[in-house]
Amino acid sequence: MLKASAAALLAGLLVAGCGDAADSSGGPAILPHQSPVSFGELYPQGNRDPEPGSSLRTPYEWVLLLQSSGEAALKIDKVCLVGTREDGADVSAFSVEVENQDLPATVESRRDFGVRLTYDRQSPSADADQIALVVQSNATNFPTLIVPVCARVIGEGEERGSVACEAPVSVPAGESDPTLCD
């Protein structure tokens, strides 16, 4: 079951509608979120007790609510992460979980589908972790939806700042790349 903190859920609700409007062809469509999602610079958890909903320390959770915005039901086939580092260190710092169901999942028209992303790096890194959250579906407007996500862990006591986000992959609207989630 998807259990998200109130802050993470609110963040997902606030950003779920960012992006282009849904395709009006009458088929399945997804109200996309295409804006980069920067978690910023976070401190490692260390020996402290976990702080659910904290925006200061890892693990940091964020919930993205995707809406089925077409007239037909949306079928989410796959959700995966794609990173920039060949050794996979950036992707391994994140985990992804879908809402209350296995994939493929059907999302009826005007309903939401939740995707929880958790960032859990525990040691400072010189470079930001930059990944793409990839959602493969039958949507006519974004069959392969790319959401850029980034974060960085800094040392205890360092001043926090922002992290620039850029997706390591791209797929134009209306096109599909099923190889991204193999």
Side-chain angles (χ1 to χ4, degrees), residues 64-85:
L64 172 64
L65 292 179
L66 298 169
Q67 184 181 45
S68 174
S69 59
E71 293 179 22
L74 177 68
K75 180 181 173 191
I76 306 287
D77 295 311
K78 295 180 181 178
V79 176
C80 68
L81 305 173
V82 176
T84 57
R85 297 187 193 149

Side-chain angles (χ1 to χ4, degrees), residues 5-162:
S5 68
L9 183 57
L10 179 59
L13 288 170
L14 292 174
V15 297
C18 296
D20 296 334
D23 185 3
S24 59
S25 67
I30 191 167
L31 186 61
H33 179 287
Q34 294 179 286
S35 301
V37 177
S38 177
F39 296 165
E41 292 180 322
L42 303 164
Y43 300 115
Q45 188 63 46
N47 293 326
R48 299 171 45 101
D49 291 330
E51 299 175 26
S54 170
S55 61
L56 299 175
R57 299 189 174 280
T58 61
Y60 182 84
E61 292 182 349
W62 178 71
V63 176
L64 172 64
L65 292 179
L66 298 169
Q67 184 181 45
S68 174
S69 59
E71 293 179 22
L74 177 68
K75 180 181 173 191
I76 306 287
D77 295 311
K78 295 180 181 178
V79 176
C80 68
L81 305 173
V82 176
T84 57
R85 297 187 193 149
E86 287 184 28
D87 65 359
D90 50 355
V91 170
S92 66
F94 293 87
S95 61
V96 64
E97 181 183 343
V98 296
E99 173 187 67
N100 292 339
Q101 51 193 323
D102 295 324
L103 294 179
T106 300
V107 184
E108 296 301 324
S109 182
R110 309 291 181 245
R111 294 291 194 190
D112 294 332
F113 180 80
V115 177
R116 178 174 54 190
L117 189 63
T118 303
Y119 181 63
D120 195 14
R121 182 174 297 287
Q122 289 300 316
S123 58
S125 60
D127 297 320
D129 293 310
Q130 295 198 32
I131 64 163
L133 173 63
V134 179
V135 178
Q136 302 280 11
S137 73
N138 68 339
T140 56
N141 59 343
F142 289 93
T144 299
L145 177 66
I146 306 290
V147 179
V149 180
C150 61
R152 180 172 171 247
V153 170
I154 59 174
E156 194 69 47
E158 289 183 40
E159 189 169 328
R160 294 180 65 218
S162 62

